[in-house]
Amino acid sequence: VETSSKDIIKVTPDGVQTTIGTTTNPPTDAVIGLDGRLYLTYNNRKILVVDLQTGVSSLWTQLATGRVVRCGDFDDNGYFYTGGRRSQLVVVNPSLTDIATGHYANDEIFSIRVYQNYLYLVVRIASPDAQNPELAIWRHTIDENGNVGDRELYLDLTGDEDISSRIIN
């Protein structure tokens, strides 16, 4: 999605670009779902979905009050993991019920990706300490029912001046 025009551009493997639609605001994150549609987060409670064949966008779900999210990703079972600033980690199940996990309730989640039954998150911790660095990549196991396991420090980014001064996506 282009920031200035807000056009949704499809780029084929050979580089051919086609405008397939337009969105009202530039999203903060985008991911292709299991159904082949494009899901957009906007740093608010709404998650939009775009049909890539027609270019038509619609509201996929609106999260509960206080769950302002900026990023997210799907697992292989259709669960959507999402979060943002002080929203905590939220799981949207396939029936579109959103469940707060309690993880990162006071923190800022910059990026979320699912890979091989793990959930990876870039998080700035609001109250860092010896076990919780200010900026890090954390990971959690996830199961086939969307349940999120305990967090595990994957990579501490706090001491790297080149990285810690930037927003990581």
Side-chain angles (χ1 to χ4, degrees), residues 80-156:
F80 187 73
Y81 303 86
T82 187
R85 187 171 187 208
R86 292 192 299 260
S87 66
Q88 67 185 294
L89 176 62
V90 176
V91 180
V92 180
N93 65 31
S95 65
L96 300 184
T97 303
D98 57 283
I99 302 151
T101 65
H103 294 288
Y104 313 107
N106 297 309
D107 307 319
E108 187 167 5
I109 300 170
F110 292 107
S111 184
I112 295 176
R113 288 296 173 255
V114 174
Y115 182 69
Q116 294 185 343
N117 298 321
Y118 280 97
L119 179 65
Y120 293 86
L121 303 96
V122 177
V123 181
R124 185 175 305 279
I125 300 292
S127 298
D129 58 34
Q131 287 76 39
N132 298 288
E134 181 181 3
L135 184 64
I137 297 175
W138 296 90
R139 78 175 185 176
H140 299 259
T141 57
I142 51 176
D143 68 18
E144 65 277 358
N145 297 313
N147 296 311
V148 176
D150 292 336
R151 73 182 182 179
E152 170 189 356
L153 180 61
Y154 189 75
L155 182 62
D156 181 351

